[in-house]
Amino acid sequence: MKKIFKYILFAGLSLGMMSCDKFFDSMEGDLSKVAAEDLLSSENGLLALLADLYSALPGESLSDNDKYQMFGNPARDIPEYKSTVQGFWGYGSVRSVNKFLEAVDACYNDNLFDEAAMKAYKGEGLFIRACYYFGNVRTHGGIPIVTESLDDKYDGQDNIGLYIPRSTEKDTWDWVLEQFQEAADLLPDKQTQEMRATRYTALAMKARAALWAASESKYWNRAPINNTYDAVKKKLTYMEASYADAYYTQAIAASEEIINSGRFSLYGGTAPTDIATAISNLTELFQNWHAEEGLFGRSYKTGDANTGNNTHTWAPNQFTSGYTGTGTASYAVTLNLADEYDYYSDATARTRAGRKIQTLVDGNEDLYFTQPETEMTAAKVADYKHYASVQEPFLLKDARFQAWVIYPGTTFRGGTVYMEGGMVMPDGSVSVYPAENTGVTKNGVTYYPYGGANEDNSAFYKLKVDVNSNNRSFYCFTPRKSLDQKDDNENTQTPYYDIRYAEVLLTYAEAVIESGQGDAAKAKQYLNDIRHRAGFKDNVDLTLDNVLHEWKVEFPFENKWTNVLHRRRAFYNPNNTATVEEGSLGHKLTLIPMVDLSGAEARWIFLRSLPYSATPAFKNYNGTLQVNAEDYYTQIPNYINNRIEPNNK
Amino acid sequence: MRKSKMLMRAAAIALGALLGATALFAQSNITVTGTVTDAEKEPLVGVSVLQKGTANGVSTDFEGNFSITVPEGSTIEISSIGFETRTLKATSSRMNVILLEDSEMLNETVVVGYGVQKKESVTSAITQVRADEIAATKTADGVAALQGKIPGLQVTQNNGKPGAFASDLSLRGFGTPMIVVDGVVRSTTRTRKSTTWNQDPTQLETYTDISVLQELNPDDIESISVLKDASATIYGLGAQNGVILITTKKGQVKKPSVNFSANFQMASPVFPRDVEDWVSFMKWENAMSDVSKMDRRFSAEQIAGYESGDPDYVYTDWYKETYKDFAFNQQYNVSLQGGTEAINYYFGAGYADDSPILKASNYGYKRYNFTGSMNIKLTDDLNLRYSTTFRQSNNLGMGDYDMDWNIFYYILASDPTVGVHTKDNPLHYSNVEEQMNPVALLDADAMGYTKTDSKDFNNTVDLNYTAPFLKGLRFQASGAYDFARTKQRTLVKKLQLYDYESDTATQAMLTRAETQYSELWNDNTRLYGRIQALYDKRFGKHNVSAMIGAELTDVLNASINGSRYYGPTKNQYLYTHDIINQGLKSRSDNSGTRSSQRTAGYIGRINYDYQGKYLVELMGRYDGNYQFAPGKRWGFFPSYSLGWRASEEKFIKDLIPFLNNLKFRWSDGRTGSVQGNPYAYINGYTASGSWVFTDGATTTGYANSSVANTILTWADVRMMDFGIDWELWQGKFGGTFDWFKREMIGTAAQRNTSLPDFYAVSIPYENLNRSENQGLELTLYHRNSIGNFSYRVQGTATFTRSRSTYMESENSRVYTSSMDYWKNCSLNRWNGYFGGSTYHWSGQRFTSIADAMGSEVLYTMDGSSDGNRAIVPGMYQLVDRNGDGYITDADVYYTWGNSMPPLQFGLNISGSYKNFDFALIFNGAALKYKGYSLSGYAGFGKLNYLPSQYTDSYRVAVEGADPWNPETQWIEGYWPALARVAQAGASHHATYTVNQPYNYANASYLRLKTIELGYRFSPKALQMAGIKSARVFFNGGNLLTFCSKTLKYVDPEANDNSTAGGMYPLNKTFSFGFNLNF
């Protein structure tokens, strides 16, 4: 009742005493949104804005595009080869970061924080914006550079201020590199929170971008794009060899500064006592964030046990209890990648000794089956190298292979991984991919064609019980990096490294060998540092081949190799006379490990083969059999409304 | 503010001018005294005694006495609300006047916006209905009680679920009107759990709450006025759909009287179930399989087994397992009314209980209403009235909203050869079909529930001050404090099903697969204040009244929602109690919202009439709404209306002496329709993305994804109405005709321009689009009495349509053909006109397979390759309109739509004979069509039942004959040959998808909504028991429906096309009850 009278009184007073808009100004306002003033008046508010900006970064996170090059797809798909570099068109995020930068300026002008804080925030904003544009330029070529929010440019009429032309590709690269440098100059050397950019993050990203621009320029003619296209004529999608050296210079300078700062090192050191230590270091690196090696990355330790990255589904069927339906073992690893890893000569000397896994007695490892069920015969068993155990061929492989790849017979999460695909019977007959997993006992031990007694084998997709599921892989290798090594955890919270110190070292090495600039001795040392961390004791020469080899074996499942091929314009292209070795690819192969029970003791042989049911074909996303020059650029979205030139037209 | 100050100044000047014009008249007078009583000799208090044609008048005192000084020989008019007015010649002798109760009492005065007007001087389209008319329909749904009673108010009942209040309410096709109760706008925006199909149970939605009308106790209503034209604009922004004004009962100066009424109701589905029995069904099913060239489903032994009643062949009648014969509903009301001039009161209490027609423990509705009103004379000049209503309603529903729809499907779909429980365990529900069991669905213990507990508490205070210093001047201050709380408790349980034969556990019931409990608390508060100055004065032949006022409303809304699961995973759960704390803390979810709304307005109105003949009304409202940007919040909305009472002109009176009333009206007014999101003018940030800056802690990101919209404001609305009211021969023929039009200018739309990606946000909404509604409304009535028999017949009809007159989005639309344009462009197209499409049929049917195969045109309309092979005898031959030799989409032909029917009508007949009284209320609609595919759902071919009407179909003359043999003889019928669904997943046989005469039905209907028969006992017989009067009645609801016979399973009234009859059925009801008056 009292309230009612208050309201009547209020209505009465309001008749003549209040200005009209004030009626509404005293209200609580819109509680579903947060006002800019509230966000900008505190450190945490600015962090909230930054959280949104960071989360939009075009990092590939854990969806690994390298699968198109080095992994097999576990499903019955045709192996694909295509250019799948992560692009970026998010002008919505660009608007957000521009508004953030404007807000930082406004706050500084209002004395909300001191100059040091202003610089740090601004540097972070510039860094993020440069990352957005780096993601953009690498797939779209030269693009419109928007450096302010355009909210007030909409006038309902011609909206002239909203139309921004494309810069040339070179200008865009130059601008991106300048922005990274500007960000580096504003950012602090160290942040209290690990997952925020520092001066060295910006420099590392600059080195990466500079190497990209440099390689693209140097190797432009490997895939020259049709020069009748408008975008080429206007140099919007155009680089040339003469640009390369200046970019290499920048890549060398930026990476050198990081190296010389002495703040970073390879986790585990460059002189592990034995192979086991090397494996254990390399495993641990991807279990928890290690700041000495990580310049920038993403943490999945969210504080909420119900979230995580999606590496859970990478694990083989055998170790994903409750998830034996579709979706486990999302990625398999090809024999092609396994063959890339060097062998140690032996466990003590640990010098480089060959790469390909030896399967045949005569050493001819170029042969493989296309229909192993029929092509493999009893007569051929004798041609095969017989191993005493299924894991024997892998035990002297590069520690990185052993740490990061699950191979037949390996121990994982306290169990043995079964990945076998057939059997040589005691009578000498051969059975590849049998329909039933029937055990045969020899010398008191029962052996199974698929390795394990139960249906929980991890490869191969051939058992009768699997016909309508995707429980198993077509390959005998799966990734191990980033997996929870102990438990089957749906919400695995292992970190993701976007830039590791190893990349900085390798960037330096590549820039030196490609440009002849810089210090070749140091470059060689950095290249070998990476190998030494993996247990090798010898030194290899600073050659392009050796550098490219390290890109493959050091960074699998980190989305680097596709990028290397893209920036070096080296994707497989049979019509391109400039095609080089780094991009040429054969069919994706697997090994089929089989137990041979025809002798006195059980022995294992390994068949090289196309994966089961895969039709060998090269196929890119246009359906043609090659990656064309045009494929290095994706189409400009919405180019008509944007009133800018399209690509490839 | 400047504007409003000017407005006030203008009003003050106008008021002053009126006062200045006051004049006095001197006469030679006599004093007349007397007493006024009612028919039972009870004195009547507060009766107006007036010298006719002047402002000279007094009121009777508490004993009914009056004394008035008037010129000798003048006429005295004695009137009181609720009684017939009497006119007497003034004599000096004492007068004892008896006033008779007037059943048409409210025809005399009409409740209008912020006041009351004499009906004769009303210049707008306003309909008022009386309490007894509303109470004639016995339903717990206050909206359904209005159906068929108010011309222009379209009420469509969509289902009969207890407490669902699934009535669509639209005034003149505009949309849901504003609801005003006792002078305060009481419809509002609220939050509830989403009722949309397949929504997460924690998802919330906002809706316009009109429960204040739906759940009001009809017995507490004094009157309902509906403002249908510019007269509504006085309520300001948001009144664009018209206004329903509800006045609740108040105290009266009379001896205390107690009313008690009770109503007992039996309800059953409107259309009784009429299906073939199981054995007949099996035979038909096999015949359908033959037509579809499929294997027969039942063997001869099976049929024989069921036919002979072999105990091995028992079947379940799922309809009987789930439906009761009837539902029992009850309503009770008691009220007390009375008092003196110093203090009088009304108290009412009501209870309503609706039970479900299903054998369900998770459906039901109970409501308790308490109403009180007290009128206190504080001083001679100051009057205080306090009115309060309190409502408590408990609504029970299914835990899982999806199942609300599913239950009706599964009652039809379930296989009769499977039992409710497994053969071996009467406690285990069997897995009937698709992991469902209809009986289990209706078991709250097994499946859970949604319990909605609403408390609604409305308080209104009115202070009335009659200025002693100036006659005719009054001040009024009003305030309201409303408080409503809704608690919704939802339990969804996982239920293990078992195999019928083996009693082994199968999958769980296919509802939300985990046991979860959630609670939503919703809190709403309204604070309202208004002050008003009113002035009424007659200056000779000039009659003037004026009103100015200001009002302010605040609505506060807050909700909190929490839920928990009962197990770490779907498979491991332990249900304990339905309280949040018993769920797993680690699997909980919660949310909360709070928002407020505020509106303010300055109101002004001046009425003027000359001799009651020429009427003018000017209204204005300066209105503010919180939603919009500063500078866009306030607007001035003027209205005016004119009236000419031609019947008051002497020359017309002379010309047509039997003409009692003839009035021409015109009204034209403006208001605004509020649109867009509140606070769109603030560039706010919302949660977006997240980042872990340091291990173990997630930072939620915030982003801004829209530009501040400082452009958008309300849409301008213009409402026009031209009307004629007439009455001849003292009510023997009367009526009202209205033409109306509403224009909406500037409804929100995005400008049709493509902006570059760099702008990066969507184009702000602007006031761009336009639309209009137009229509006609007609009411005709006839009132008469013949001896003891008096009766009244009233028919109403409304024809209304709407269309878009400007659509920004049409600017860039490209139509590939005139057909494309015809089909897809709605600009300038009256809605409802081309809502549906059908093929032309030639009138010829295919009479045999050979006939169908020999058809010259090829049927490809369903996109299947079946073509003519799926044609069955009995189908109509379609016309190949474009002559290309194929029946395709290009051959469709347009017809009336099937949503809101443009023509609605009502017919009310009421009367009395001696102690008997009766009322009949019909409601109907026309120009409405319903297209329903002859599907398994609507009839046959898929589910386990066959409505008997379909047995009148083309069928082979000899049972079991091959329908595909050209030699086979066919018997003709209304429906085509029945066929089973040919492929998995389909719900109907391919050919039936085409709209044919038999499955595209005219949904025009006329429904007897209410019939009431009453008998009033003579008071003398009851006075011994202290009862003043007593009445018993029989009431029927939805007893008769006249419609196309094919619409038995798809109710013609409900808008249920998508569910094809799978809905809670509308009920027909039989009620008995009585009213007692002490």
Side-chain angles (χ1 to χ4, degrees), chain B residues 806-820:
Chain B
Y806 179 80
M807 288 169 89
E808 176 74 12
S809 61
E810 282 295 318
N811 284 346
S812 66
R813 285 274 287 274
V814 176
Y815 293 102
T816 51
S817 65
S818 58
M819 173 64 96
D820 184 27

Short mmCIF file of all heavy atoms in Angstrom, two decimals, chain B residues 806-820:
data_model
loop_
_atom_site.label_atom_id
_atom_site.label_comp_id
_atom_site.label_asym_id
_atom_site.label_seq_id
_atom_site.Cartn_x
_atom_site.Cartn_y
_atom_site.Cartn_z
N TYR B 806 4.26 -2.27 -48.16
CA TYR B 806 5.64 -1.99 -48.57
C TYR B 806 6.54 -2.98 -47.86
O TYR B 806 6.43 -3.17 -46.65
CB TYR B 806 6.06 -0.56 -48.22
CG TYR B 806 7.49 -0.29 -48.62
CD1 TYR B 806 7.82 0.00 -49.93
CD2 TYR B 806 8.52 -0.40 -47.68
CE1 TYR B 806 9.13 0.20 -50.31
CE2 TYR B 806 9.83 -0.21 -48.05
CZ TYR B 806 10.14 0.10 -49.37
OH TYR B 806 11.44 0.27 -49.74
N MET B 807 7.37 -3.64 -48.61
CA MET B 807 8.33 -4.55 -48.01
C MET B 807 9.69 -4.22 -48.58
O MET B 807 9.94 -4.37 -49.77
CB MET B 807 7.98 -6.01 -48.34
CG MET B 807 6.77 -6.52 -47.61
SD MET B 807 6.23 -8.09 -48.27
CE MET B 807 7.20 -9.20 -47.28
N GLU B 808 10.55 -3.77 -47.69
CA GLU B 808 11.90 -3.40 -48.13
C GLU B 808 12.59 -4.57 -48.81
O GLU B 808 13.28 -4.40 -49.81
CB GLU B 808 12.70 -2.93 -46.90
CG GLU B 808 14.14 -2.58 -47.15
CD GLU B 808 14.34 -1.26 -47.88
OE1 GLU B 808 13.38 -0.50 -48.00
OE2 GLU B 808 15.48 -1.03 -48.35
N SER B 809 12.35 -5.77 -48.30
CA SER B 809 13.05 -6.93 -48.85
C SER B 809 12.61 -7.25 -50.28
O SER B 809 13.30 -7.97 -50.99
CB SER B 809 12.82 -8.14 -47.96
OG SER B 809 11.43 -8.43 -47.91
N GLU B 810 11.45 -6.73 -50.69
CA GLU B 810 10.99 -7.03 -52.04
C GLU B 810 11.80 -6.28 -53.09
O GLU B 810 11.76 -6.60 -54.27
CB GLU B 810 9.51 -6.67 -52.20
CG GLU B 810 8.57 -7.69 -51.59
CD GLU B 810 8.63 -9.04 -52.27
OE1 GLU B 810 8.68 -9.09 -53.51
OE2 GLU B 810 8.65 -10.06 -51.55
N ASN B 811 12.52 -5.25 -52.64
CA ASN B 811 13.21 -4.39 -53.61
C ASN B 811 14.20 -5.13 -54.48
O ASN B 811 14.39 -4.80 -55.63
CB ASN B 811 13.93 -3.25 -52.89
CG ASN B 811 12.94 -2.19 -52.47
OD1 ASN B 811 11.81 -2.19 -52.93
ND2 ASN B 811 13.35 -1.31 -51.58
N SER B 812 14.84 -6.12 -53.91
CA SER B 812 15.87 -6.79 -54.69
C SER B 812 15.45 -8.19 -55.11
O SER B 812 16.22 -8.90 -55.72
CB SER B 812 17.15 -6.88 -53.88
OG SER B 812 16.92 -7.74 -52.79
N ARG B 813 14.23 -8.56 -54.74
CA ARG B 813 13.81 -9.92 -55.07
C ARG B 813 13.62 -10.05 -56.57
O ARG B 813 13.07 -9.19 -57.24
CB ARG B 813 12.49 -10.27 -54.38
CG ARG B 813 12.64 -10.53 -52.91
CD ARG B 813 13.02 -11.98 -52.62
NE ARG B 813 11.90 -12.88 -52.82
CZ ARG B 813 11.00 -13.14 -51.89
NH1 ARG B 813 11.05 -12.58 -50.73
NH2 ARG B 813 10.02 -13.98 -52.15
N VAL B 814 14.09 -11.17 -57.09
CA VAL B 814 13.92 -11.43 -58.51
C VAL B 814 13.02 -12.65 -58.63
O VAL B 814 13.25 -13.67 -58.00
CB VAL B 814 15.29 -11.73 -59.17
CG1 VAL B 814 15.10 -12.09 -60.64
CG2 VAL B 814 16.19 -10.52 -59.02
N TYR B 815 11.97 -12.50 -59.40
CA TYR B 815 11.06 -13.63 -59.62
C TYR B 815 11.29 -14.17 -61.02
O TYR B 815 11.33 -13.42 -61.99
CB TYR B 815 9.61 -13.20 -59.42
CG TYR B 815 9.35 -12.84 -57.98
CD1 TYR B 815 9.29 -11.52 -57.57
CD2 TYR B 815 9.22 -13.84 -57.03
CE1 TYR B 815 9.09 -11.20 -56.25
CE2 TYR B 815 9.02 -13.52 -55.70
CZ TYR B 815 8.95 -12.20 -55.32
OH TYR B 815 8.76 -11.90 -53.99
N THR B 816 11.45 -15.47 -61.07
CA THR B 816 11.84 -16.08 -62.34
C THR B 816 10.66 -16.22 -63.28
O THR B 816 10.82 -16.33 -64.47
CB THR B 816 12.45 -17.47 -62.09
OG1 THR B 816 11.54 -18.20 -61.26
CG2 THR B 816 13.78 -17.35 -61.38
N SER B 817 9.47 -16.24 -62.72
CA SER B 817 8.31 -16.41 -63.58
C SER B 817 7.10 -15.83 -62.86
O SER B 817 7.16 -15.53 -61.67
CB SER B 817 8.05 -17.90 -63.85
OG SER B 817 7.72 -18.53 -62.63
N SER B 818 6.04 -15.68 -63.60
CA SER B 818 4.84 -15.15 -62.96
C SER B 818 4.32 -16.15 -61.93
O SER B 818 3.77 -15.78 -60.91
CB SER B 818 3.76 -14.85 -64.00
OG SER B 818 3.46 -16.02 -64.72
N MET B 819 4.57 -17.43 -62.17
CA MET B 819 4.18 -18.45 -61.21
C MET B 819 4.96 -18.28 -59.91
O MET B 819 4.40 -18.33 -58.82
CB MET B 819 4.44 -19.84 -61.82
CG MET B 819 4.23 -20.99 -60.86
SD MET B 819 2.53 -21.15 -60.31
CE MET B 819 1.92 -22.36 -61.44
N ASP B 820 6.24 -18.04 -60.07
CA ASP B 820 7.11 -17.82 -58.92
C ASP B 820 6.62 -16.61 -58.13
O ASP B 820 6.51 -16.63 -56.90
CB ASP B 820 8.54 -17.60 -59.44
CG ASP B 820 9.54 -17.46 -58.31
OD1 ASP B 820 9.27 -18.01 -57.23
OD2 ASP B 820 10.57 -16.80 -58.54
#
